[in-house]
Amino acid sequence: MHTKITGAEILVESLKKEGVKYIFGYPGGVVLNIFDVLYEHKDLHLILTRHEQGAVHAADGFARASGKTGVALVTSGPGATNTVTGIATASMDSIPMVVFSGQVPTMLIGNDAFQEADIVGITRPCTKYNFLVKDVNDLSRIIKEAFYIASTGRPGPVLIDLPKDVTVGKADFVWPELEMRSYKPTYEGNKWMISQAAQLMAKSKKPVIIAGGGVIISGAAKELKELAEHTDIPVTMTLMGLGGFPGSHKLSLGMLGMHGTYYANKAVQDSDLIIAVGMRFDDRVTGKVDAFAPHAKIVHIDIDPTSIKKNVRVDVPVVGDVKRVLTVMNKVLKEEIKEQWDEVRKAWLKQIDAWRAERPMSYTHSEEIIKPQFVVEKIYELTKGDAIITTEVGQNQMWTAQFYKFDKPRTLLTSGGLGTMGYGFPAAIGAQFAHPEKLVIDVAGDGSIQMNIQELATAVINKLPVKVAILNNRFLGMVRQWQELFFDERYSHTKLNDVVPDFVKIAEAYGAVGLRATKPSEVEPVLKEAFRIKKTVFMDFIVDWKEKVYPMVPAGAPIDQMLFEQEKKPEKKLKAVK
Amino acid sequence: MRHTISVLVENKFGVLSRISGLFSGRGYNIESLSVGETIDPQVSIMTIVTTGDDWVIEQITKQLNKLIDVIKVTDMTELDHVEREMVLLKVSPKQEHKAEVLNIAGIFRGRIVDSSQKTYTIEITGDEKKIEAFVELMRPMGIKEFVRTGKVAITREGVKKK
């Protein structure tokens, strides 16, 4: 005979079954009883953030850094609606996450009760799936399904809405077997399609691999490296793919797209074969779609069939898990196909090297004023790449992607799809929980750090040695850059100049450490000092506000029509599309 | 081109919203939609009529398949199938047209399901062409109200690809 336990206790037991250690959350009226069960719990730690958005981003950062499913718990109404940005961020980047929201009792749902919000309705388009639990007897099954859905196939966030009477109600705790007839992701790629792809790779003269976030999610970095090295095919990465292939490898072309390298974009545009691996041809990658890689056949490997042929034509589609598909592909290439590409590949790589020499990734260094790229370069130099880097969104994000060489998967956590300012700092907090021993650095801007700056309290209270490098240009830099280039330097509401707070004092007010560098010569000492201190540190780098992210492809242009640093302005006035 | 897509779904609350949200969120068009339980009360079937080129239809079927509650998606347009729709039509013909209305209804195998001094309500079932033809003939008779169920479709036995 089982003793019946409450829904709140079932929730906790279920989370333990799922191996959850940390929940990022914020209490409130209808989840009081759940928080009561968590009070001083031995195995399950509730990490109190200072905003629900922070909680969800922290769960997201934890998930990206660890590969495990992140968990957040919030109250109903405003608590739930505050999670939406975080959920949408995770959804766009395929991050496994389960968010629990409190809800008013079932009999009050629809009555416009105090702190009621239809969060299931609100999050339907930005979750992979969501549940409203109506009966405590369904709770454990729903939790099990939620974790399964979140972490399998193309991962994504799942929300479970918990009415008060469900968590108060009692039931037997049963951990059920999974049975889902309507959800069966495809993992094994079609063998014939894989052979077709391998044949094309062997025969092509100018192939390029484009690696995306799917490489990292499926843990296929090793298989990808094997593929590239065996076939001598250069690899470029999307923002989400950085770290999926070593950035310092000779076959690496760095990032492609709007702020990609000249040689990556040139190679893609000139290629006769693109092997797209776990990426989805976002508009920031393709530029003008009609003019994208005009001579290339496209092999597209992705676990999500809807990603294939959504934006670009595809010649060989392979639906499946990237790791499994690449494993088979490597086998086919090594066992069934004669190596015949030696000569042609030499010519292709030589051409790419010429492009690399023509326009390498660069910026103009200054002895007087700190260039933001210099800070990122120094971070790379001092950490030797052995750190977890998070970013906010905007120039800070692009400079990080351009000037830090990510050699390993799960070392760059950034909001690629949704482009969420305020993501990086809470994500760094989540990442630090996943890897307490690692150096975690958020590269931020003075604009975006202010979007979740309250999480300083979370970092300090939990004694997290998270470092935040603020590239402080007193502007919303990326928007300002567009205004300079496309809007006649009319800096409409992007100038933060007069009201940028003293970040050193803010850090100190929260009990963290604040450091500042105003000259290039101070950058290295400040970074070294920050890395030495085992505390939360804000570094305020006063950088050149005029600095822009180059190269740049204007929105809506083909990706080989790039603007460079030397050409201060486009000759013809280019029209910005978005 | 117009496609009739049959979608077998879990019969749960919110499923219709997921499907309609998918169409509205991605800018696809729904011409008609009908939903009902199947023999298994845990499963519903939706018949969606939509238009789009091959790219769009391929995306629609893939996106539908991706929804967790969707069990099976069939593009009926690719298969030999039967389509039917039911229409209820209320006419108020002039005295001299009353016999004509009954006559036309008879020709189309319609049934008079309600009548009053001034009106007839006619039920008619058929494929799109039949219903269009019927409505055209009724138009001059003075249509007062007109409701339609949206299409349902079923494959013919010995299904072959068209």
Side-chain angles (χ1 to χ4, degrees), chain A residues 20 182 202 206 305 358 439 523 542 570:
Chain A
V20 175
S182 60
K206 299 190 272 185
E358 188 186 342
L439 179 58
V523 170
I542 310 299

Side-chain angles (χ1 to χ4, degrees), chain B residues 99 102 105 110 126-127 147-148 153 157:
Chain B
L102 294 178
D127 60 15
V147 289
R148 58 203 301 176
E157 255 331 280

Side-chain angles (χ1 to χ4, degrees), chain A residues 326-395:
Chain A
L326 292 189
T327 304
V328 176
M329 193 175 267
N330 283 330
K331 202 163 175 292
V332 170
L333 277 160
K334 283 182 180 165
E335 291 173 8
E336 295 172 23
I337 293 173
K338 203 173 125 264
E339 282 189 43
Q340 52 195 323
W341 47 76
D342 224 31
E343 285 306 307
V344 285
R345 215 62 101 232
K346 262 182 203 152
W348 177 226
L349 292 174
K350 206 177 146 199
Q351 166 68 67
I352 289 173
D353 279 342
W355 286 324
R356 207 191 287 260
E358 188 186 342
R359 288 200 185 267
M361 219 40 224
S362 69
Y363 65 96
T364 312
H365 183 66
S366 161
E367 293 300 332
E368 273 75 57
I369 189 160
I370 302 174
K371 296 285 182 174
Q373 301 95 324
F374 177 67
V375 178
V376 175
E377 272 189 341
K378 277 287 165 198
I379 293 174
Y380 178 66
E381 203 183 297
L382 292 173
T383 60
K384 297 176 188 73
D386 187 22
I388 295 173
I389 307 291
T390 74
T391 77
E392 304 292 337
V393 166
Q395 290 183 317

Side-chain angles (χ1 to χ4, degrees), chain A residues 124 129 181-182 304 308, chain B residues 10 17 59 62 66 68-69:
Chain A
R124 210 170 267 139
Y129 197 65
R181 61 176 158 184
S182 60
D304 179 1
I308 295 174
Chain B
E10 298 285 352
S17 168
Q59 265 299 312
K62 282 175 173 177
K66 189 173 156 183
I68 307 284
D69 289 322

